[in-house]
Amino acid sequence: MKLISRRHAVHAMFACVMPAVAVAQDAQAYPHQPITLVVPFAAGGMTDILARQLGKTLQQEWQKPVVVDNRLGAGGIVGADRVAKSRADGYTLLITTTAHVVNPAINKKLPYDTVKDFQPVAMLARTPNVLVVNPANPARNLKELLEQARRKGGVSYGSSGTGGTTHLSGELLASRTGAPLLHVPYKGTALAINDLIGGQIDASFVDALSAVQFIRSGTLRPIAVSTRERSAALSDVPTIAEQGVPGYETEIFIGLYAPAGTPPAIVQQLNELARRSMAEPGFKAMLLDRGTTNAGMSAPEFKSYVGAELSKWQAIVTTAKIQPDPAH
């Protein structure tokens, strides 16, 4: 009986050790198979643009296929859940927005733990949100748009999805001003812009990377930017704080994440290539031209940033009196 017990104990030990050994061996040979970049938003938006740039760099560097998987749903939760439950080997990665650090504050029950189930790898870019309207809208500044909302009993604004900064930027503005702003969530930025251009909604918060081209073409009219300071690409557009809402500030950032437990050597490789990809001269110039900056954080720096953002957005959700979604 003692021999059997000892044998079972040895088998149990190897059962625990073997997965870790397999991952370590994979890390040494990484990468040796296709990589999937999960984007939890629709194609054509800011997150998708950055993912495809990163995918191009990874593919050129490693000569392995890179697939961008637009896995939509629940404000980024569906795509994040897929990565959280993936093997921690560097082959299934998440590229997502600030929504990732907001969701814990607005959802009572997520299918994953935002801190424990993910390894922050790299900050890709950060950008203001821009409050825009259809040029047919008579409002030309924030005061006029808020007056319009009060007069009509509500102004509808679109976002790229529930729980992201484009959604909460509107909620925070409504709570600070008392103006009735009615949220209309979309499955991605491009869909919100299409309906704004088509007149189905009155306004929208849109990340600068996506908004600038429409503003310059005259297709959309900017009302304000959400950051503390003006955007260099939209220097004539005042901030929301400048227009009578002191202390107002929101920003969107895009980050790369791996499942928790991904070997440090793989995380380091991905961080270095992500930083190189975002700093590629032509792409960097495009980002700057559209009011977006690339970010050069190390993996530990990005992890600290994500922790701070989790606390920050919890405070914003509390200030804006947004009730957690009981459905999650």
Side-chain angles (χ1 to χ4, degrees):
M1 291 300 293
K2 289 183 179 180
L3 180 60
I4 294 174
S5 298
R6 185 178 300 169
R7 183 179 298 166
H8 286 174
V10 170
H11 286 170
M13 179 183 71
F14 273 100
C16 294
V17 170
M18 288 307 294
V21 171
V23 171
Q25 291 173 340
D26 285 348
Q28 292 177 355
Y30 183 81
H32 58 76
Q33 65 187 54
I35 295 167
T36 298
L37 302 178
V38 177
V39 175
F41 303 104
M46 177 183 179
T47 314
D48 184 69
I49 290 171
L50 294 173
R52 292 181 190 281
Q53 168 65 14
L54 177 58
K56 176 182 174 183
T57 300
L58 297 180
Q59 193 158 302
Q60 289 176 343
E61 179 75 15
W62 288 330
Q63 296 298 301
K64 293 291 186 295
V66 178
V67 177
V68 176
D69 179 8
N70 296 93
R71 190 67 62 98
L72 284 61
I77 295 172
V78 171
D81 188 44
R82 185 200 164 187
V83 175
K85 292 176 171 58
S86 296
R87 191 179 179 198
D89 56 9
Y91 291 101
T92 304
L93 306 167
L94 175 68
I95 296 181
T96 190
T97 67
T98 315
H100 189 61
V101 295
V102 173
N103 280 328
I106 63 171
N107 293 276
K108 287 186 175 180
K109 188 176 180 181
L110 291 173
Y112 52 79
D113 187 303
T114 305
V115 175
K116 295 179 180 178
D117 291 339
F118 296 91
Q119 168 63 54
V121 175
M123 163 87 83
L124 300 184
R126 58 208 309 178
T127 190
N129 285 314
V130 188
L131 177 57
V132 290
V133 297
N134 188 299
N137 192 313
R140 293 187 172 275
N141 53 51
L142 184 61
K143 180 181 177 181
E144 291 178 358
L145 184 63
L146 296 178
E147 288 176 347
Q148 182 184 113
R150 295 184 181 102
R151 185 173 63 253
K152 292 173 56 178
V155 160
S156 59
Y157 76 96
S159 79
S160 61
T162 301
T165 62
T166 52
H167 167 208
L168 296 189
S169 290
E171 296 287 354
L172 185 60
L173 181 60
S175 72
R176 291 283 184 89
T177 63
L181 303 179
L182 313 175
H183 178 227
V184 182
Y186 288 86
K187 291 182 178 179
T189 300
L191 299 176
I193 290 175
N194 286 342
D195 269 10
L196 179 56
I197 293 172
Q200 280 75 42
I201 53 177
D202 299 310
S204 187
F205 276 94
V206 179
D207 64 87
L209 179 62
S210 302
V212 167
Q213 58 184 320
F214 294 99
I215 292 169
R216 289 177 178 164
S217 69
T219 310
L220 296 176
R221 178 191 300 139
I223 296 295
V225 294
S226 68
T227 40
R228 185 180 305 172
E229 298 178 351
R230 294 191 184 196
S231 168
L234 298 168
S235 58
D236 58 339
V237 181
T239 68
I240 288 175
E242 281 182 81
Q243 298 185 71
V245 191
Y248 183 101
E249 178 191 9
T250 67
E251 181 183 55
I252 190 169
F253 75 89
I254 308 295
L256 172 66
Y257 302 80
T262 299
I266 290 178
V267 172
Q268 179 65 20
Q269 285 187 69
L270 289 167
N271 176 271
E272 291 174 358
L273 282 176
R275 292 164 70 175
R276 189 195 309 171
S277 181
M278 296 302 108
E280 188 277 321
F283 192 71
K284 181 179 178 180
M286 184 278 287
L287 290 179
L288 290 172
D289 185 57
R290 296 192 186 180
T292 302
T293 57
N294 65 320
M297 294 183 185
S298 67
E301 287 171 338
F302 183 48
K303 183 176 182 179
S304 296
Y305 179 89
V306 168
E309 285 289 295
L310 283 162
S311 299
K312 168 188 168 182
W313 283 99
Q314 178 62 67
I316 288 177
V317 166
T318 300
T319 298
K321 298 180 180 178
I322 299 169
Q323 295 299 313
D325 186 350
H328 299 286

